[in-house]
Amino acid sequence: MNNTAVVRIVALISTVVLSWAALTVGSQTSASVQASGDIALRDYYAARRAVVVDAARYEGAQARAASEVVPVTQRDLEVETQVQAAVAALFDAVTAGVPLALSEPLPSVDPTPAVTTTTSTTGTTATTATTEPPPAVEPATIEGFVFVDADSDGLFTVTSEPGFNDTGLARIGIVARSPEGAVLRGETQSDGSFEIVVPPGEWDVGLDVKDPDLPDQFTYTTGNPVQTLDCTAGTSCAAAPIGYGPRVRPVVQQVDELGKAYSILDDTTIVTLAEIGTDDVLRRGLGEPAALRGVLQAILTELVQAFANGIEDDAGLLAAQNRIIATPPVVFIEGEFDEPARAAAADIAAKFLRPNTKVDTQATADLVAAARAGVDESEFSVVYQPDQLIVSEGQALDRLAVDAIAATGAAAAQTTRSGASLVLTSVLVAALAFYLSRFRPQFWESPRMVALLGSLIVIEAVSMRVTVALEQSASWYILPAVAIGYLSAVLFDNRMGTLMAMSMGIIAAIGSRDPGVIVFAILAALAPIAYVSKVSSRRAFRNSVITSSLTVAFMAASVAWLFHAPPDSSPVLTMLTAATWALGASLLASMLALAAMPFFESMFDVTTTLRLLELTDRNHEALQLLQTEAFGTFNHSLMVGTLADVAAKKVGANNLLARAAAYFHDLGKTKNPRYFIENQFGALNPHDELTPEESAAIIRQHVIDGVELAHKYRIPSDVTEGIVAHHGDAIMRYFYEKARQRQGEDPVDPD
């Protein structure tokens, strides 16, 4: 077995192994991903008996059991205390906002007796307090009246209208003081009147402002807080009535301040509180209980009841608030059922109320765990017997099916499927090798072309594997089969391109087992062949990218309509999606194929049309060298290239190859250009000074030099063949005859 055969065998075996590995290694049952929601691409049968829990139903039963657990709750006493304290603070603010501060102390009679100092004959000093004057023959009587001025108008008036009436202020101390400092005291009666018996003379009379029974937060409403009376013996001195009324701020001012501090409350609630608080000052002066306290007590009672029922969340809070508003607490003021006070109490209780029940997360979690553990797993177990069908091809894989496939060993069929893939890949490569050996010997006899064919097959397998991996997030129609068509048609020829399109279909069958993908793979690989078969310019190659991509997009829409469109709805969206993915993928794949072409040309020494176009460009560096060093030879090569191009076209040969070979056939003459007549331009011929043998050696050397330069400038072997063979193997007749003439009768060696 020669080296060529060994290289071919190694290349083919490598192609099989690499292609099979790209398609199967690390994948599950070829293109089938074992995940819930995927479509089963084959029938799955249990390989052994197994009991599998239907996890979806089991977990659903556990979730239902957990949802039926009543959360364990406990009262949050801290919240209740905070709410009650906040309500108490509100009422403290109402009470504190009612009084009007005094700018100066209330005027009064000094109740302190005068002090008299005397000195005895012994020089001792004594101090005596004068509490009453010396006895008189007949005293006088000071009479007066003190009243609570409810309306603070300075007049004692009693009406039948609802509300407070002026009334006498009982049991309040009265002070009478003489200019000498004598102090006499009296007290008002139940009707507010008072009498003080005093010696005749001048007396200052007024209220005892230090009397603890004097109403707090009151002030004089009449202009006579201290009256000076001149009393005559045996007569009654009448003091003017003294009015004493509440000292409060305007309700409007109180409402404004409270409204800013407690904006959550209704305006009517603020007004009601301010009015009740204002009236409470008068109630305290009259010895009656404060009404605000009753309102506060009603609110606290309502809160206690609401908290006792328990409030867990916002929904419970809203329900409790609605109940309070619907049935306000009972509030009595002065024995009367007071509706505004009830409404205010309800508003305050509802607005200050907060959830007071919190969930005991740990205890609840324990109950939930117990409830889930109480679900019997065996009730949701499914028994699978050997060879029992788990899921049929085309059905959706649910969680039970996926678990059953794993538990019963059904996925072990991967080994069989992987082996089948290896066999089919081997058959494909063997068929292609047989075709080359029988019908394309020029490729079969070249190991590098066999290796190139194997590389393209591996690329097909890799592209199929990538497509399978991205199909779920993209589409089957991102398969870059068009690149295979480009590469095979350009690197080989049209017939090989068609053959590779068929192999692309087989690779797609192994990788996807989807009929639509198989059809699309074949059509997409065939699409560019017609567009690149006759191109002879770079512009034509660029145009072929666009036209072939549009063709592939149309093919994708057609295939999607037949194989992948939903039967119960319009196929338009499916077709547009497939065409869009195919167009984008084909444009990208075509450009990548054209970009990779120079790599394949250089790696496998392939002479493609693109490479020939580069070689026949007069700006090629080797032609530039020829033009510079051997201008005559350069013109000669261009003329031969033109003739060869025309001749090749006439006989149906590769005209670009003929032109390129003609352009470079005399490249070696650049080493010694003056030894070739076309570069002498009338100068002396150096061969006249050489022997025929030396001249023949120089002429032969330009072929060797040409091959060396071809290797240097990476000129493909097909073109280099023109350098090697353009002189054939005949005798150099001119120098042979010259040698014969010089040697006469002596024989000349033709070699």
Side-chain angles (χ1 to χ4, degrees), residues 281-355:
V281 175
L282 184 58
R283 290 188 184 94
R284 287 194 294 271
L286 297 176
E288 300 177 4
L292 275 180
R293 183 174 297 277
V295 178
L296 173 59
Q297 190 59 45
I299 294 172
L300 294 178
T301 301
E302 191 69 32
L303 290 174
V304 168
Q305 181 178 352
F307 285 142
N309 294 332
I311 304 173
E312 296 183 8
D313 49 23
D314 291 342
L317 175 62
L318 181 61
Q321 289 172 330
N322 290 336
R323 284 195 301 269
I324 293 173
I325 298 298
T327 57
V330 176
V331 179
F332 289 95
I333 297 181
E334 299 176 8
E336 298 290 336
F337 195 69
D338 195 290
E339 283 295 342
R342 290 187 68 199
D347 182 45
I348 295 169
K351 297 291 177 57
F352 278 74
L353 194 62
R354 287 168 53 191

Side-chain angles (χ1 to χ4, degrees), residues 464-483:
M464 189 66 238
R465 179 64 177 272
V466 173
T467 302
V468 170
L470 299 178
E471 183 270 331
Q472 292 292 332
S473 58
S475 169
W476 280 120
Y477 298 95
I478 63 171
L479 179 65
V482 66

Side-chain angles (χ1 to χ4, degrees), residues 405-480:
I405 290 171
T408 62
Q414 165 66 16
T415 303
T416 302
R417 188 59 60 91
S418 178
S421 299
L422 178 60
V423 170
L424 184 56
T425 305
S426 302
V427 170
L428 170 63
V429 174
L432 292 175
F434 179 75
Y435 174 83
L436 290 182
S437 64
R438 291 294 302 272
F439 303 106
R440 310 306 300 277
Q442 70 272 29
F443 294 142
W444 178 250
E445 293 170 1
S446 173
R448 56 185 172 81
M449 297 306 291
V450 175
L452 175 60
L453 179 68
S455 299
L456 293 181
I457 295 174
V458 173
I459 291 174
E460 290 178 348
V462 172
S463 65
M464 189 66 238
R465 179 64 177 272
V466 173
T467 302
V468 170
L470 299 178
E471 183 270 331
Q472 292 292 332
S473 58
S475 169
W476 280 120
Y477 298 95
I478 63 171
L479 179 65

Side-chain angles (χ1 to χ4, degrees), residues 390-620:
I390 298 174
V391 64
S392 299
E393 180 179 354
Q395 291 182 340
L397 290 169
D398 57 14
R399 188 173 176 183
L400 175 61
V402 172
D403 292 344
I405 290 171
T408 62
Q414 165 66 16
T415 303
T416 302
R417 188 59 60 91
S418 178
S421 299
L422 178 60
V423 170
L424 184 56
T425 305
S426 302
V427 170
L428 170 63
V429 174
L432 292 175
F434 179 75
Y435 174 83
L436 290 182
S437 64
R438 291 294 302 272
F439 303 106
R440 310 306 300 277
Q442 70 272 29
F443 294 142
W444 178 250
E445 293 170 1
S446 173
R448 56 185 172 81
M449 297 306 291
V450 175
L452 175 60
L453 179 68
S455 299
L456 293 181
I457 295 174
V458 173
I459 291 174
E460 290 178 348
V462 172
S463 65
M464 189 66 238
R465 179 64 177 272
V466 173
T467 302
V468 170
L470 299 178
E471 183 270 331
Q472 292 292 332
S473 58
S475 169
W476 280 120
Y477 298 95
I478 63 171
L479 179 65
V482 66
I484 300 300
Y486 264 112
L487 292 173
S488 57
V490 174
L491 295 174
F492 288 95
D493 55 28
N494 295 344
R495 284 195 291 172
M496 285 299 298
T498 304
L499 191 65
M500 291 302 295
M502 298 300 104
S503 72
M504 184 72 244
I506 296 174
I507 294 295
I510 298 173
S512 70
R513 292 191 296 283
D514 185 315
V517 178
I518 298 170
V519 173
F520 173 72
I522 296 173
L523 293 177
L526 288 172
I529 296 176
Y531 298 112
V532 298
S533 60
K534 298 294 183 180
V535 295
S536 59
S537 67
R538 294 184 179 277
R539 180 179 180 183
F541 268 102
R542 289 193 294 268
N543 291 340
S544 70
V545 170
I546 299 175
T547 52
S548 59
S549 297
L550 291 173
T551 303
V552 172
F554 176 76
M555 293 173 174
S558 303
V559 172
W561 187 6
L562 178 61
F563 291 98
H564 298 144
D568 54 349
S569 60
S570 173
V572 175
L573 180 59
T574 302
M575 295 171 64
L576 288 177
T577 302
T580 302
W581 281 111
L583 178 62
S586 297
L587 285 172
L588 179 61
S590 299
M591 290 186 289
L592 289 176
L594 290 179
M597 200 73 71
F599 168 78
F600 287 104
E601 293 171 342
S602 176
M603 178 65 68
F604 297 99
D605 191 21
V606 181
T607 306
T608 65
T609 302
L610 283 174
R611 200 170 187 188
L612 290 173
L613 289 174
E614 292 177 354
L615 291 172
T616 55
D617 186 347
R618 294 188 184 183
N619 290 317
H620 192 281

